[in-house]
Amino acid sequence: MAITTRPISAITTMMVEMTNVSGGFSPVITLDRTAAKPLHRQIYDAFRATIIGRNLQSGQQVPSSRTLALELGISRIPVLSAYDQLLAEGYFESRRGAGTFVSSSLPDQLMSCEYRSAGPDQPPSGPRKTSDRSALLPGREESPWVFGSGAFSVGQLAFDHFPLQIWANLVSRHARKVRASALNYAEPMGSRDFREAIATYLRTARAVHCDASQIMVVSGSQQALDLSARVLLDPGRPVWVEDPSYRLMQFALTMAGCRLIPVPVDGEGMDVAAGVKTCRKARAAFVTPSHQFPLGVTMSASRRLQLLDWAHNAGSWIVEDDYDSEYRYESLPIASLQGLDHGKRVIYIGTFSKTLFPAVRLGYMVIPTDLVDRFVAVRRALDVCPPSFNQAVLTDFINQGHFARHIRKTRMVYAERRSALVVAVEQEFGSRLPILGDEAGMNLAVKLPPGLADREISIRAAARNLWLWPLSTSYLGKPVHQGFILGFGSIKKSDIPAAVRRLKDELSAHPKWS
Amino acid sequence: MAITTRPISAITTMMVEMTNVSGGFSPVITLDRTAAKPLHRQIYDAFRATIIGRNLQSGQQVPSSRTLALELGISRIPVLSAYDQLLAEGYFESRRGAGTFVSSSLPDQLMSCEYRSAGPDQPPSGPRKTSDRSALLPGREESPWVFGSGAFSVGQLAFDHFPLQIWANLVSRHARKVRASALNYAEPMGSRDFREAIATYLRTARAVHCDASQIMVVSGSQQALDLSARVLLDPGRPVWVEDPSYRLMQFALTMAGCRLIPVPVDGEGMDVAAGVKTCRKARAAFVTPSHQFPLGVTMSASRRLQLLDWAHNAGSWIVEDDYDSEYRYESLPIASLQGLDHGKRVIYIGTFSKTLFPAVRLGYMVIPTDLVDRFVAVRRALDVCPPSFNQAVLTDFINQGHFARHIRKTRMVYAERRSALVVAVEQEFGSRLPILGDEAGMNLAVKLPPGLADREISIRAAARNLWLWPLSTSYLGKPVHQGFILGFGSIKKSDIPAAVRRLKDELSAHPKWS
């Protein structure tokens, strides 16, 4: 074979490369010992058909003749004979020291004459119908601003300030400590130690009224919203949602088949009296009292009490999403709504996606004691249990104080970025672009002057890698404001003035701006 | 303080211990600068109330006076003054070199006189009502056999044969390689490299017709079942399910509000003609063609074609759960149903919970190309995206050939365990306990003689740590068989005869056995 003449170093490189497209899997081969066709020919035909049909691809490793003979339960002779023929015809190639592979350069005439497309079949005309409720959700391409990174993408963090080295050390230490027993299914509520650490944190820093038996570990606040909707609400039931509010929360309720009742948000948070007037009998209210998404309002004490009164009188539930309450700048931290209620009617939700990093996929909920059994039953039907490894790593990260330190450090980082953004917006725009909700979190909102439509500006800006989340898309009813949600989590302080000038360029290009 | 007289080593030990119950979080303290009450008194009162209310617990670390002053935006003097008083009164204790902690021995009279329960509030009378559909799922205590480990717990693997060292090395290597950019949200479909590796595996080893663009990474087969139900089916729609079948699959469909149509299973798998007769217009069929759960039948070729014909004619979907098809003992591997159909009407589901380990929480589905957009939209509403770290580790594990090797090795392990179980059951019971479905997977079923009820025997056995999954609980309609599903994945070959004797003891204790 040509390859045997190459120098060793080239072969080694190739072996490493090949490792990345192989796996040594055996193809599905059905042998018929009673057939007239001899075994070696059946094996040859099976490989040839699999290669032509592209189920075995160029450069992919095939099992050794010995392994395949063992798996097929036959002698090695017919396998060797089939392999010899496949090598001779150029379907296979062997590489010294590495094994046998599907040829990386298949004969041209084979590909042009015999190849029939085995790529995914396109349906005759457009996508087929799925469930009615799934059809209500927008497609990915309809909101390009969600998927960017850089200025002013929402939900992005100061990743460069994460203590990667400490985290990596904890990961390595746990990897070495893993015992076979830790490979099994985990508790559906999450690991006990992790839930203790979360309960301590929530009692102290968020004044949540809880113990570990009420904490359920989830994959992030989104799973907690979905799970709450499914445990608490049946299809067709009315639910209060803040208007405007977080779209993925709206989608979770839509998928649960709920009837969404938009309740306006003013300077004190959700307007409870308006909600009572529209639909007193709503079965639940989904709220963000610490830092309303997207307007940034903090719910006032009197509204909190009104909301709890309504829930107790109507026998309804409150789902409190406390997604970024750890980051609060000018005033002091606000205690959770759940703590006020002593956990009777409130399901409390939080996430490590803002305080740690989103890829960890860990969040938590605090469940009233009598509902724990139902949440566990439904959770098992959704995804059985959370993965265990990250829970163990994060438990140490919290208990060793790294988590509290990281929050303190990033609070200062975000405070600086926020101030820089506020200053730059005021400098560039004066009072033409009023700022809302800059007291907490990693995003604020700016209001556009009348006559400008946010969505079209956002789509144009996204094409130039400037991410402006249009405020109007967060409304269920008629948008009260047009404007943008600007994330400042991942943008360096020094880059903010230039980014704000880019925003100004986008707006200046609009005929109605001038 | 007494502690200063202890030797250094004792203090060090205590510091390490304390680290495990602390975190250094700051409690929620609201200061009113305009109040008559001085700041130091406000801080003292806030800590005292938090400790009495048990939101700060014995032994928990509190922030340093400097940190707290910074966070409250006040001078350090009132904080120091409050801390001094809390130390003097015994609410706090300071430990040299470690910091300030809530006292590990709070005054008795404080606890007895002032403490009011801050544990979870018990509702006045039993659990409150949740959604109708969540109320349909059984509670955990109703099926004790699900949660055991050892003989004959179902879904347990040969964890002792997992190459932990190789896995730990890959984990450590990736931990060191993680860049800040990898901390962000991941692709909702899963990482590209991982999906390429899965597609290669499925095309080769399972004859699945796919490319990486159709692969969605999920947290296990359960999430794939839940997601499929929600994307494909609206509430009230009829769905064929095998009878008997996997209960968590039934629960996923129940939570989606579907109408479950039980279709009997015979020696060739789901009886398609019976399904057509009962409800031709079902919108989907959920099947396990490679190794029917729990009866272990392999669906015959003619039934596969009948099922595909029905789906194409009725415009319905087939959800193929290929959960343990990698383990097949006497006959050769059976190609997937999806491959026969060229992926037009079949959603294919698989999991790493059987081939790798359940705690990794990774599975995959192969989605017809035109439905990918809807699956992504719904997946975002469920949990946004999968965690990224385990995907990267498993990609290397597959591409370096460890996965194929592990499957080959464990196939032999399970084959031995299965044979030992079959031999032991035949020796102890002869023809009194016929064996079903031992050709594949990690479980088989045994049928009880008429007159014996499996469920009550299972409950009694579970109390003695023998795990017998009762066959009757898998039926939606009237149970055709009473018997047990016996898992042999985690039980050593040498322990099997004794475990079968324990099963015999359980049966012999039954009045109707003898």
Side-chain angles (χ1 to χ4, degrees):
Chain A
M1 311 241 42
I3 197 156
T4 60
T5 65
R6 295 193 191 184
I8 291 292
S9 63
I11 294 177
T12 313
T13 309
M14 175 174 277
M15 279 170 62
V16 171
E17 284 168 12
M18 295 325 299
T19 322
N20 289 327
V21 291
S22 79
F25 306 117
S26 309
V28 180
I29 296 179
T30 312
L31 296 183
D32 180 356
R33 284 155 207 266
T34 63
K37 200 195 273 185
L39 287 179
H40 70 87
R41 183 76 206 180
Q42 292 185 41
I43 295 166
Y44 166 86
D45 284 350
F47 270 109
R48 192 169 167 279
T50 314
I51 292 166
I52 292 173
R54 292 272 173 114
N55 272 22
L56 270 173
Q57 298 197 335
S58 280
Q60 195 179 326
Q61 189 166 20
V62 296
S64 72
S65 55
R66 202 173 61 88
T67 302
L68 188 66
L70 260 172
E71 294 200 343
L72 296 176
I74 57 176
S75 103
R76 203 174 155 198
I77 295 164
V79 180
L80 275 174
S81 152
Y83 274 35
D84 280 347
Q85 186 165 356
L86 290 158
L87 283 162
E89 292 184 13
Y91 290 99
F92 280 4
E93 60 191 24
S94 83
R95 300 197 183 116
R96 195 157 62 172
T100 307
F101 296 79
V102 177
S103 176
S104 47
S105 56
L106 284 169
D108 277 353
Q109 105 266 27
L110 163 72
M111 302 318 284
S112 57
C113 304
E114 301 202 50
Y115 174 69
R116 50 178 190 72
S117 164
D121 298 284
Q122 286 302 333
S125 55
R128 290 165 290 179
K129 195 184 163 319
T130 53
S131 67
D132 292 340
R133 59 176 114 165
S134 75
L136 298 172
L137 305 190
R140 182 176 180 130
E141 66 296 333
E142 291 170 48
S143 30
W145 49 82
V146 173
F147 303 99
S149 75
F152 294 100
S153 187
V154 172
Q156 303 293 305
L157 316 188
F159 295 120
D160 46 329
H161 286 265
F162 185 74
L164 264 181
Q165 191 58 55
I166 290 172
W167 183 261
N169 289 344
L170 290 175
V171 167
S172 296
R173 187 191 312 168
H174 276 278
R176 288 191 302 272
K177 273 184 6 193
V178 167
R179 295 279 161 274
S181 57
L183 304 178
N184 207 346
Y185 290 98
E187 273 297 299
M189 290 287 278
S191 93
R192 186 78 205 182
D193 289 349
F194 187 41
R195 292 155 66 206
E196 291 285 0
I198 294 170
T200 301
Y201 166 62
L202 293 179
R203 281 192 302 256
T204 312
R206 304 296 309 125
V208 169
H209 185 80
C210 66
D211 64 27
S213 69
Q214 300 172 268
I215 308 278
M216 178 180 274
V217 176
V218 290
S219 68
S221 58
Q222 192 62 32
Q223 187 178 40
L225 292 168
D226 177 50
L227 189 53
S228 301
R230 304 231 261 163
V231 174
L232 302 176
L233 302 162
D234 280 300
R237 295 296 152 83
V239 185
W240 288 358
V241 297
E242 296 166 328
D243 200 38
S245 52
Y246 185 51
R247 296 195 85 197
L248 283 180
M249 180 276 289
Q250 299 169 7
F251 298 163
L253 291 173
T254 300
M255 283 308 295
C258 298
R259 187 153 64 85
L260 279 71
I261 312 287
V263 179
V265 172
D266 62 19
E268 292 189 67
M270 177 184 257
D271 184 346
V272 177
V276 169
K277 207 167 147 194
T278 312
C279 179
R280 187 194 184 79
K281 297 205 155 178
R283 303 308 311 132
F286 279 61
V287 290
T288 49
S290 294
H291 185 225
Q292 204 274 330
F293 190 92
L295 298 179
V297 187
T298 302
M299 188 180 269
S300 71
S302 72
R303 284 283 170 79
R304 286 171 190 245
L305 295 174
Q306 278 178 48
L307 186 62
L308 290 173
D309 274 352
W310 162 77
H312 284 269
N313 293 332
S316 302
W317 303 105
I318 297 169
V319 177
E320 174 180 25
D321 183 359
D322 208 30
Y323 67 106
D324 70 357
S325 58
E326 288 84 357
Y327 296 106
R328 195 147 199 100
Y329 308 114
E330 310 218 318
S331 60
L332 293 164
I334 309 286
S336 64
L337 187 60
Q338 195 268 9
L340 269 184
D341 177 50
H342 276 217
K344 291 193 190 73
R345 286 261 155 213
V346 177
I347 287 85
Y348 177 91
I349 291 175
T351 180
F352 290 105
S353 293
K354 310 293 174 204
T355 48
L356 201 72
F357 57 88
V360 77
R361 304 315 301 137
L362 286 173
Y364 42 84
M365 52 200 310
V366 182
I367 303 167
T369 306
D370 61 321
L371 303 190
V372 166
D373 169 73
R374 289 299 87 195
F375 272 84
V376 169
V378 175
R379 200 269 159 80
R380 289 186 59 225
L382 259 58
D383 70 350
V384 188
C385 66
S388 33
F389 189 76
N390 278 353
Q391 294 186 64
V393 175
L394 185 45
T395 305
D396 277 3
F397 190 82
I398 294 172
N399 286 341
Q400 294 176 11
H402 302 300
F403 183 59
R405 268 192 295 281
H406 180 58
I407 290 178
R408 290 202 175 98
K409 186 173 78 177
T410 47
R411 191 182 286 134
M412 287 191 284
V413 172
Y414 295 132
E416 279 187 2
R417 292 178 180 186
R418 176 199 71 129
S419 301
L421 179 56
V422 168
V423 166
V425 168
E426 284 171 353
Q427 266 178 357
E428 293 291 338
F429 297 99
S431 62
R432 283 199 81 188
L433 221 54
I435 294 171
L436 305 170
D438 62 329
E439 282 170 33
M442 291 161 229
N443 53 263
L444 50 76
V446 292
K447 273 203 294 186
L448 278 174
L452 275 89
D454 52 18
R455 202 162 179 282
E456 51 177 294
I457 297 171
S458 295
I459 289 171
R460 260 207 322 274
R464 288 193 278 266
N465 291 326
L466 187 69
W467 315 104
L468 308 173
W469 186 310
L471 206 45
S472 65
T473 60
S474 300
Y475 284 92
L476 282 167
K478 192 178 165 337
V480 175
H481 301 301
Q482 299 273 330
F484 306 113
I485 311 166
L486 304 180
F488 53 81
S490 68
I491 177 170
K492 288 200 168 59
K493 190 182 156 190
S494 55
D495 294 339
I496 287 177
V500 172
R501 282 194 296 276
R502 288 185 62 203
L503 168 62
K504 193 169 190 183
D505 292 344
E506 289 296 331
L507 292 178
S508 304
H510 197 280
K512 293 194 186 158
W513 177 262
S514 69
Chain B
M1 311 241 42
I3 196 156
T4 60
T5 65
R6 295 195 190 182
I8 290 292
S9 62
I11 295 177
T12 313
T13 308
M14 175 173 275
M15 280 172 60
V16 171
E17 283 167 13
M18 294 325 297
T19 323
N20 289 328
V21 291
S22 79
F25 306 116
S26 308
V28 180
I29 295 179
T30 312
L31 295 182
D32 180 357
R33 284 154 208 267
T34 64
K37 198 195 274 184
L39 287 178
H40 69 87
R41 184 76 206 178
Q42 292 185 42
I43 296 166
Y44 165 87
D45 284 349
F47 270 108
R48 192 170 165 279
T50 314
I51 292 166
I52 291 173
R54 291 272 173 114
N55 273 22
L56 271 173
Q57 299 198 334
S58 280
Q60 196 178 327
Q61 189 166 19
V62 297
S64 72
S65 56
R66 202 174 62 87
T67 303
L68 188 66
L70 260 172
E71 294 201 342
L72 296 175
I74 58 176
S75 103
R76 203 175 156 196
I77 295 163
V79 180
L80 276 173
S81 152
Y83 274 36
D84 280 347
Q85 186 164 355
L86 290 158
L87 283 161
E89 292 185 13
Y91 289 99
F92 281 4
E93 59 191 23
S94 82
R95 300 195 184 119
R96 196 158 62 172
T100 308
F101 296 78
V102 177
S103 176
S104 49
S105 57
L106 284 169
D108 278 353
Q109 104 265 28
L110 162 73
M111 301 318 284
S112 57
C113 305
E114 302 201 48
Y115 174 68
R116 49 178 190 74
S117 163
D121 298 285
Q122 285 301 333
S125 55
R128 291 165 290 178
K129 194 184 162 320
T130 54
S131 67
D132 292 340
R133 58 177 116 165
S134 74
L136 297 173
L137 305 190
R140 183 176 178 129
E141 65 296 334
E142 291 170 48
S143 30
W145 48 83
V146 173
F147 303 99
S149 75
F152 294 99
S153 188
V154 172
Q156 304 292 307
L157 316 188
F159 295 120
D160 46 329
H161 286 266
F162 184 75
L164 262 181
Q165 192 56 54
I166 290 172
W167 184 260
N169 288 344
L170 290 175
V171 166
S172 296
R173 187 191 311 168
H174 275 277
R176 288 193 300 272
K177 273 184 6 193
V178 167
R179 295 280 160 272
S181 57
L183 304 178
N184 207 344
Y185 290 99
E187 273 296 300
M189 290 286 279
S191 92
R192 186 79 204 180
D193 289 349
F194 187 41
R195 292 155 64 206
E196 291 285 0
I198 294 170
T200 301
Y201 166 62
L202 292 179
R203 280 192 302 255
T204 312
R206 303 295 309 125
V208 168
H209 185 81
C210 67
D211 65 27
S213 69
Q214 300 172 268
I215 308 278
M216 178 180 274
V217 176
V218 290
S219 69
S221 58
Q222 192 62 32
Q223 187 178 40
L225 292 168
D226 177 49
L227 189 52
S228 301
R230 305 233 260 163
V231 174
L232 301 176
L233 301 163
D234 280 300
R237 296 295 152 85
V239 184
W240 288 359
V241 297
E242 296 166 328
D243 201 36
S245 52
Y246 185 51
R247 295 195 87 196
L248 282 180
M249 181 275 290
Q250 299 168 8
F251 298 162
L253 291 172
T254 299
M255 283 308 295
C258 298
R259 187 154 63 83
L260 280 70
I261 312 287
V263 179
V265 172
D266 61 19
E268 292 189 66
M270 178 184 257
D271 184 347
V272 177
V276 169
K277 206 167 148 193
T278 312
C279 179
R280 186 192 185 81
K281 297 204 155 179
R283 303 307 311 133
F286 279 61
V287 289
T288 49
S290 293
H291 185 225
Q292 204 275 331
F293 189 92
L295 297 180
V297 186
T298 302
M299 188 180 268
S300 70
S302 72
R303 283 284 169 79
R304 286 170 191 246
L305 295 174
Q306 277 178 47
L307 186 63
L308 290 172
D309 274 352
W310 162 78
H312 284 270
N313 292 335
S316 302
W317 303 105
I318 297 168
V319 177
E320 174 180 24
D321 183 357
D322 208 30
Y323 66 105
D324 70 356
S325 59
E326 287 84 357
Y327 297 105
R328 193 145 201 100
Y329 308 114
E330 310 218 318
S331 59
L332 293 164
I334 308 286
S336 65
L337 188 59
Q338 195 268 9
L340 268 184
D341 177 50
H342 276 216
K344 290 191 191 75
R345 286 262 155 213
V346 177
I347 286 85
Y348 176 91
I349 291 174
T351 180
F352 289 104
S353 292
K354 310 294 174 203
T355 48
L356 202 71
F357 56 89
V360 78
R361 304 315 301 138
L362 286 172
Y364 42 83
M365 51 200 309
V366 182
I367 303 167
T369 305
D370 62 320
L371 303 190
V372 166
D373 170 73
R374 288 300 86 194
F375 273 84
V376 169
V378 175
R379 199 267 159 81
R380 289 185 60 224
L382 258 59
D383 70 350
V384 188
C385 65
S388 33
F389 189 76
N390 278 353
Q391 294 186 62
V393 176
L394 185 45
T395 305
D396 278 3
F397 190 83
I398 294 173
N399 286 341
Q400 294 176 10
H402 302 299
F403 184 58
R405 268 192 294 282
H406 180 58
I407 291 179
R408 288 202 177 99
K409 186 174 79 176
T410 47
R411 191 182 286 135
M412 287 190 286
V413 172
Y414 295 133
E416 279 186 2
R417 292 178 180 185
R418 176 199 71 128
S419 301
L421 179 56
V422 169
V423 166
V425 168
E426 284 171 353
Q427 264 177 359
E428 293 292 337
F429 297 100
S431 61
R432 282 199 81 188
L433 221 54
I435 295 171
L436 305 170
D438 61 330
E439 283 169 32
M442 292 161 228
N443 53 262
L444 50 77
V446 292
K447 273 203 294 187
L448 278 174
L452 276 89
D454 51 19
R455 202 161 178 284
E456 51 178 294
I457 297 171
S458 295
I459 289 171
R460 260 205 324 271
R464 288 192 279 264
N465 291 325
L466 186 69
W467 314 105
L468 308 172
W469 187 309
L471 206 46
S472 66
T473 60
S474 300
Y475 285 90
L476 283 166
K478 192 178 166 336
V480 175
H481 302 299
Q482 300 273 330
F484 306 113
I485 310 166
L486 304 181
F488 53 82
S490 68
I491 177 170
K492 288 201 168 57
K493 190 182 155 189
S494 55
D495 294 339
I496 287 177
V500 172
R501 282 194 296 276
R502 288 185 61 203
L503 168 61
K504 193 169 191 183
D505 291 344
E506 289 296 332
L507 293 178
S508 305
H510 196 281
K512 293 196 185 156
W513 177 262
S514 66

